[in-house]
mmCIF file of all heavy atoms in Angstrom:
data_model
loop_
_atom_site.group_PDB
_atom_site.id
_atom_site.type_symbol
_atom_site.label_atom_id
_atom_site.label_comp_id
_atom_site.label_asym_id
_atom_site.label_seq_id
_atom_site.Cartn_x
_atom_site.Cartn_y
_atom_site.Cartn_z
ATOM 1 N N VAL A 125 -3.665 3.927 1.686
ATOM 2 C CA VAL A 125 -4.577 3.236 2.601
ATOM 3 C C VAL A 125 -4.204 3.626 4.029
ATOM 4 O O VAL A 125 -3.075 3.390 4.463
ATOM 5 C CB VAL A 125 -4.482 1.698 2.425
ATOM 6 C CG1 VAL A 125 -5.471 0.987 3.341
ATOM 7 C CG2 VAL A 125 -4.701 1.303 0.974
ATOM 8 N N LEU A 126 -5.131 4.240 4.735
ATOM 9 C CA LEU A 126 -4.841 4.660 6.111
ATOM 10 C C LEU A 126 -5.497 3.698 7.087
ATOM 11 O O LEU A 126 -6.716 3.485 7.042
ATOM 12 C CB LEU A 126 -5.357 6.086 6.332
ATOM 13 C CG LEU A 126 -4.519 7.189 5.660
ATOM 14 C CD1 LEU A 126 -5.279 8.491 5.622
ATOM 15 C CD2 LEU A 126 -3.187 7.373 6.386
ATOM 16 N N ALA A 127 -4.676 3.108 7.948
ATOM 17 C CA ALA A 127 -5.197 2.197 8.975
ATOM 18 C C ALA A 127 -5.458 3.020 10.235
ATOM 19 O O ALA A 127 -4.522 3.479 10.891
ATOM 20 C CB ALA A 127 -4.186 1.084 9.240
ATOM 21 N N LEU A 128 -6.726 3.208 10.535
ATOM 22 C CA LEU A 128 -7.140 4.041 11.671
ATOM 23 C C LEU A 128 -8.068 3.236 12.559
ATOM 24 O O LEU A 128 -9.059 2.692 12.069
ATOM 25 C CB LEU A 128 -7.874 5.293 11.163
ATOM 26 C CG LEU A 128 -7.032 6.355 10.436
ATOM 27 C CD1 LEU A 128 -7.935 7.399 9.797
ATOM 28 C CD2 LEU A 128 -6.072 7.034 11.402
ATOM 29 N N SER A 129 -7.772 3.175 13.835
ATOM 30 C CA SER A 129 -8.513 2.323 14.753
ATOM 31 C C SER A 129 -8.515 0.903 14.200
ATOM 32 O O SER A 129 -9.522 0.208 14.198
ATOM 33 C CB SER A 129 -9.951 2.821 14.952
ATOM 34 O OG SER A 129 -10.568 2.098 15.990
ATOM 35 N N TYR A 130 -7.358 0.514 13.689
ATOM 36 C CA TYR A 130 -7.217 -0.777 13.031
ATOM 37 C C TYR A 130 -6.533 -1.794 13.945
ATOM 38 O O TYR A 130 -5.555 -1.476 14.618
ATOM 39 C CB TYR A 130 -6.388 -0.619 11.742
ATOM 40 C CG TYR A 130 -6.100 -1.948 11.088
ATOM 41 C CD1 TYR A 130 -7.020 -2.524 10.218
ATOM 42 C CD2 TYR A 130 -4.935 -2.656 11.392
ATOM 43 C CE1 TYR A 130 -6.781 -3.767 9.653
ATOM 44 C CE2 TYR A 130 -4.691 -3.904 10.834
ATOM 45 C CZ TYR A 130 -5.621 -4.448 9.959
ATOM 46 O OH TYR A 130 -5.397 -5.688 9.409
ATOM 47 N N GLY A 131 -7.049 -2.998 13.938
ATOM 48 C CA GLY A 131 -6.409 -4.122 14.604
ATOM 49 C C GLY A 131 -6.646 -5.342 13.736
ATOM 50 O O GLY A 131 -7.779 -5.618 13.339
ATOM 51 N N ALA A 132 -5.572 -6.061 13.405
ATOM 52 C CA ALA A 132 -5.714 -7.184 12.477
ATOM 53 C C ALA A 132 -6.571 -8.301 13.057
ATOM 54 O O ALA A 132 -7.346 -8.949 12.348
ATOM 55 C CB ALA A 132 -4.342 -7.719 12.094
ATOM 56 N N ARG A 133 -6.475 -8.531 14.362
ATOM 57 C CA ARG A 133 -7.281 -9.606 14.952
ATOM 58 C C ARG A 133 -8.761 -9.270 14.845
ATOM 59 O O ARG A 133 -9.573 -10.127 14.490
ATOM 60 C CB ARG A 133 -6.884 -9.828 16.402
ATOM 61 C CG ARG A 133 -5.554 -10.555 16.532
ATOM 62 C CD ARG A 133 -5.184 -10.726 17.973
ATOM 63 N NE ARG A 133 -4.041 -11.617 18.117
ATOM 64 C CZ ARG A 133 -3.451 -11.874 19.271
ATOM 65 N NH1 ARG A 133 -3.885 -11.293 20.386
ATOM 66 N NH2 ARG A 133 -2.430 -12.690 19.332
ATOM 67 N N ASP A 134 -9.117 -8.015 15.151
ATOM 68 C CA ASP A 134 -10.515 -7.586 15.001
ATOM 69 C C ASP A 134 -10.969 -7.773 13.557
ATOM 70 O O ASP A 134 -12.098 -8.173 13.291
ATOM 71 C CB ASP A 134 -10.657 -6.083 15.325
ATOM 72 C CG ASP A 134 -10.696 -5.822 16.816
ATOM 73 O OD1 ASP A 134 -10.860 -6.782 17.583
ATOM 74 O OD2 ASP A 134 -10.554 -4.641 17.210
ATOM 75 N N ASP A 135 -10.086 -7.442 12.631
ATOM 76 C CA ASP A 135 -10.455 -7.507 11.223
ATOM 77 C C ASP A 135 -10.712 -8.955 10.802
ATOM 78 O O ASP A 135 -11.643 -9.237 10.031
ATOM 79 C CB ASP A 135 -9.360 -6.864 10.367
ATOM 80 C CG ASP A 135 -9.908 -6.420 9.020
ATOM 81 O OD1 ASP A 135 -10.974 -5.764 9.005
ATOM 82 O OD2 ASP A 135 -9.307 -6.764 7.986
ATOM 83 N N ILE A 136 -9.892 -9.870 11.321
ATOM 84 C CA ILE A 136 -10.074 -11.289 10.998
ATOM 85 C C ILE A 136 -11.394 -11.785 11.610
ATOM 86 O O ILE A 136 -12.139 -12.545 10.980
ATOM 87 C CB ILE A 136 -8.849 -12.110 11.479
ATOM 88 C CG1 ILE A 136 -7.633 -11.775 10.600
ATOM 89 C CG2 ILE A 136 -9.149 -13.608 11.455
ATOM 90 C CD1 ILE A 136 -6.297 -12.299 11.110
#
Side-chain angles (χ1 to χ4, degrees):
V125 182
L126 286 165
L128 290 170
S129 189
Y130 175 85
R133 285 179 170 175
D134 280 347
D135 202 48
I136 290 169

